[in-house]
Amino acid sequence: MTIGVFDSGSGGRNILEVLEWSFPEFDFVYISDTKNLPYGLKSAELIRELVSKAVKPLVEKCSVVIIACNTATTAAIEHLRAEFPSTKFIGLEPMLKPAARLTQTGAICVCATPATLRSRNYSQLKHKYTRELKVIEPDCADWAGLIERGETDKINLETLREIIRVSSCDVLVLGCTHYHVLKTRLQKLLPKIKILEPSDAIVEQLKNLL
Ligand code: DGL
């Protein structure tokens, strides 16, 4: 069985790695849309158009496609399901539900792209799970571009640490697959903070689906 994995750029490769390790019996095909990234600075309409074009080669080959991109999922997953009804799509959304369960201070920090934070899906998630909580959304607008260019050292994590300290957040949600590469650095910088990213959840979802 061949499973498709899509992201705007290299972020989804972090998910791909975990999937390949967890499902050695399957073949994975990875497609990205690097000429149009970052998606996170684009409108929902444009993201939908780009994703629907970019996933076509995967849909032709694979019955299951993982949208390893929060930005593409929040903007386009319903449209993809409607446009390609015979393909099963698994998407990624910022992990607000587990964050709400884990926080003890009642304050969480969500790092995601501007398009994800603006999306209707994300607002609905927030309304459903974090209505009683303080949700801090720091400006990460240039992170995906910097990560894509290998310039992660230009991301000012000290500012993020200060934001988290001042607002008493005890959970940090990485709501963009590009940001997973920062996890080790972040965990060192914020040893008491729980950092959530969805790799394990995607493995579980794929297991359940199959
Ligand atoms: N990796 C994508 C995500 O998970 C975003 C990167 C981009 O802005 O293109 O949201």
Side-chain angles (χ1 to χ4, degrees):
M1 177 168 184
T2 304
I3 294 175
V5 181
F6 172 77
D7 180 39
S8 58
S10 59
R13 290 196 181 276
N14 303 306
I15 302 286
L16 176 70
E17 219 174 272
V18 180
L19 289 170
E20 283 181 326
W21 190 86
S22 308
F23 300 96
E25 68 276 33
F26 298 143
D27 291 322
F28 289 90
V29 190
Y30 188 83
I31 280 194
S32 57
D33 188 16
T34 37
K35 71 174 190 298
N36 290 305
L37 66 80
Y39 276 10
L41 302 180
K42 295 183 164 55
S43 70
E45 292 72 30
L46 184 52
I47 296 168
R48 283 200 274 278
E49 213 176 282
L50 293 171
V51 177
S52 129
K53 221 184 275 168
V55 299
K56 273 208 179 101
L58 288 181
V59 168
E60 280 159 17
K61 256 195 265 183
C62 317
S63 53
V64 178
V65 173
I66 296 168
I67 305 297
C69 175
N70 297 257
T71 310
T73 300
T74 50
I77 195 100
E78 284 110 12
H79 296 259
L80 290 174
R81 288 184 176 129
E83 188 178 350
F84 306 108
S86 51
T87 303
K88 296 216 163 36
F89 288 96
I90 295 180
L92 294 191
E93 286 169 344
M95 300 177 76
L96 297 190
K97 186 180 177 185
R101 237 190 264 133
L102 281 171
T103 181
Q104 291 187 339
T105 61
I108 67 167
C109 178
V110 181
C111 289
T113 67
T116 295
L117 296 177
R118 260 198 329 263
S119 69
R120 201 169 45 112
N121 276 19
Y122 178 72
S123 305
Q124 286 168 345
L125 277 179
K126 254 172 99 172
H127 183 74
K128 197 162 170 196
Y129 299 113
T130 63
R131 244 180 313 165
E132 322 271 284
L133 305 178
K134 186 158 82 176
V135 182
I136 308 295
E137 293 153 352
D139 179 6
C140 304
D142 59 353
W143 286 19
L146 288 170
I147 291 166
E148 199 66 39
R149 294 194 296 277
E151 296 173 351
T152 44
D153 49 322
K154 291 196 180 146
I155 297 175
N156 190 346
L157 296 184
E158 288 300 330
T159 309
L160 179 67
R161 173 159 72 171
E162 194 49 18
I163 292 171
I164 286 177
R165 191 188 66 77
V166 168
S167 49
S168 309
C169 295
D170 59 350
V171 181
L172 169 61
V173 176
L174 298 181
C176 168
T177 49
H178 278 73
Y179 307 168
H180 295 194
V181 295
L182 301 172
K183 190 175 175 186
T184 312
R185 236 171 100 196
L186 280 166
Q187 197 65 83
K188 263 191 209 140
L189 203 64
L190 302 158
K192 294 198 181 118
I193 304 294
K194 293 177 198 82
I195 302 179
L196 300 183
E197 52 88 356
S199 312
D200 294 342
I202 291 299
V203 169
E204 278 315 300
Q205 274 196 57
L206 187 55
K207 266 188 204 151
N208 292 339
L209 184 77
L210 303 170

